[in-house]
Amino acid sequence: ETFIYAKTLLSLMLRSKHPDGKVLIIGGGIANFTDVAATFTGLIQALQHYAADIKEHGIKIWIRRAGPNYLEGLRKVKAASDRLGLGIKVYGPE
């Protein structure tokens, strides 16, 4: 489900370019029951699918998340960002 949602959102952002680029902010409160690492798996798949287009359109991505397993989730997103060259800014509850 997260993959489909993230893929849809990114495809909408990629419909047109903006001369200054665009910004995607992914944030949330401290989840009680949502496994952050599990939900980020779908996000990472979508980022892999659109990585070249994200870079071409100059989309900057900021993520702030907390909750169960958030450290693992943020680590996975940061690793994917580094591997794909996306420069995603990743923050926890600090």
Side-chain angles (χ1 to χ4, degrees):
E1 291 180 18
T2 306
F3 169 66
I4 295 168
Y5 180 78
K7 190 174 159 186
T8 300
L9 183 62
L10 289 170
S11 72
L12 292 171
M13 290 187 76
L14 294 167
R15 284 189 176 176
S16 64
K17 288 185 180 179
H18 189 281
D20 298 326
K22 296 180 182 180
V23 176
L24 173 61
I25 299 172
I26 301 170
I30 297 174
N32 290 326
F33 304 106
T34 303
D35 184 333
V36 175
T39 59
F40 277 174
T41 299
L43 173 63
I44 292 166
Q45 290 171 337
L47 293 171
Q48 291 169 339
H49 184 81
Y50 285 113
D53 295 320
I54 291 168
K55 290 187 276 190
E56 179 185 334
H57 284 249
I59 296 174
K60 306 292 183 225
I61 302 173
W62 295 64
I63 297 174
R64 186 267 177 212
R65 198 68 172 99
N69 214 8
Y70 82 92
L71 287 174
E72 180 65 11
L74 296 179
R75 184 195 63 75
K76 285 181 177 182
V77 169
K78 180 67 174 153
S81 171
D82 292 346
R83 184 176 67 253
L84 299 168
L86 296 176
I88 297 174
K89 306 295 183 195
V90 179
Y91 301 94
E94 64 274 347

